[in-house]
Amino acid sequence: MNTLFELYQHLGWTLSLLVIGVFLMAGVVKGVIGLGLPTVAMGLLGMAMLPTQAAALLIIPATVTNVWQLAAGGQLQALIRRLWPMLVLIFLGTGLGTLWLGMGSDQSMSRVLGGVLALYALSGLFLPPLHVAPRHEVWLGPLCGLITGVVTSATGLFVIPAVPYLQALGLDRNQLVQALGLSFTVSTLALAAGLYWRGVLGGGEIGASVLALAPALLGMMLGQWLRQRISAVLFKRVFFVGMGLLGLHLLLG
């Protein structure tokens, strides 16, 4: 049991409380809008620790909440048949990115993380609704998967360009939520494999990530409760503004 607390003891109580608060907040965001847990976690934790440390803490909460998300909806087999080329390239792109780029162990990677956060916020706030014709999915899906994998390997974020692409497929709300969960699950497992290969995902990090699961699940349940009582559109707009400001802070800091 001591190994579960090893990383938190190393971080100190103040930073440990920050981790708990961040995952609680990230879970709330995911519960309300169906995405955002890794974005919030990586963005906020990136101000206090190296991206590799933040990504290691992310693995278990992201995997469990994403599997929870993809399990709902009853259309998993159909989505896998449609999206498998993109999913395969996400995994391969993450592997290639790990070998080629890797997630840096210095503060320069925080600026890269900030740039991706800012780009994601701008796309969420200002990108008009897109539509991908079925005939283009055969090449655009794998391309988006490859780029998403490379970005994942460098920053721990797996939203660009996967999220805009999935939103452009014309899926209904339940299908989109399940497709996002499927994409995020593959990305998280690929990221975990890359971190393990680089030697930054050992027993201590996994144990610390397990402890981060509780606030993430609590936040997600709270977010699902809030979703019935607040405007999800307004909440999403505030989320993107916040991520944009956070991205600029990391980019210029």
Side-chain angles (χ1 to χ4, degrees):
M1 189 68 179
N2 288 337
T3 57
L4 291 177
F5 295 92
E6 201 171 283
L7 183 57
Y8 287 102
Q9 289 174 339
H10 174 71
L11 293 176
W13 284 110
T14 301
L15 196 51
S16 298
L17 290 174
L18 172 66
V19 169
I20 293 171
V22 164
F23 278 101
L24 180 64
M25 182 186 303
V28 169
V29 172
K30 186 174 182 67
V32 174
I33 63 177
L35 51 84
L37 189 147
T39 312
V40 173
M42 288 298 299
L44 292 176
L45 292 178
M47 296 190 299
M49 60 181 66
L50 295 174
T52 50
Q53 292 176 302
L57 289 172
L58 175 68
I59 295 302
I60 299 300
T63 299
V64 173
T65 56
N66 288 330
V67 169
W68 180 356
Q69 182 173 330
L70 72 85
Q75 303 186 60
L76 183 59
Q77 291 185 350
L79 287 171
I80 290 175
R81 285 195 298 268
R82 183 174 182 179
L83 300 177
W84 72 264
M86 183 190 81
L87 301 174
V88 170
L89 266 294
I90 286 175
F91 207 96
L92 292 178
T94 304
L96 291 174
T98 299
L99 295 174
W100 177 37
L101 297 172
M103 194 177 299
S105 58
D106 55 49
Q107 290 299 328
S108 65
M109 291 309 298
S110 294
R111 293 186 173 86
V112 177
L113 174 61
V116 174
L117 281 173
L119 178 62
Y120 179 49
L122 289 173
S123 69
L125 288 170
F126 302 113
L127 191 68
L130 302 176
H131 177 70
V132 174
R135 68 180 183 276
H136 295 314
E137 290 184 39
V138 67
W139 64 269
L140 189 56
L143 178 61
C144 287
L146 179 64
I147 297 173
T148 299
V150 173
V151 172
T152 297
S153 70
T155 66
L157 296 179
F158 26 84
V159 291
I160 294 292
V163 170
Y165 171 75
L166 292 173
Q167 291 173 333
L169 293 182
L171 303 171
D172 65 37
R173 178 176 175 80
N174 290 333
Q175 287 176 322
L176 178 59
V177 169
Q178 194 167 23
L180 289 170
L182 181 61
S183 174
F184 295 162
T185 298
V186 171
S187 295
T188 304
L189 295 177
L191 176 63
L195 291 172
Y196 180 79
W197 184 83
R198 289 176 62 83
V200 294
L201 189 64
E205 290 79 10
I206 289 293
S209 185
V210 168
L211 290 181
L213 176 61
L217 290 177
L218 178 60
M220 191 171 177
M221 289 186 288
L222 177 59
Q224 290 174 337
W225 178 81
L226 285 173
R227 185 168 58 193
Q228 310 302 322
R229 292 161 176 81
I230 64 174
S231 168
V233 174
L234 177 60
F235 187 92
K236 186 178 291 187
R237 189 173 295 121
V238 172
F239 163 71
F240 281 123
V241 170
M243 288 299 99
L245 294 174
L246 179 58
L248 286 176
H249 174 77
L250 290 171
L251 187 61
L252 302 177

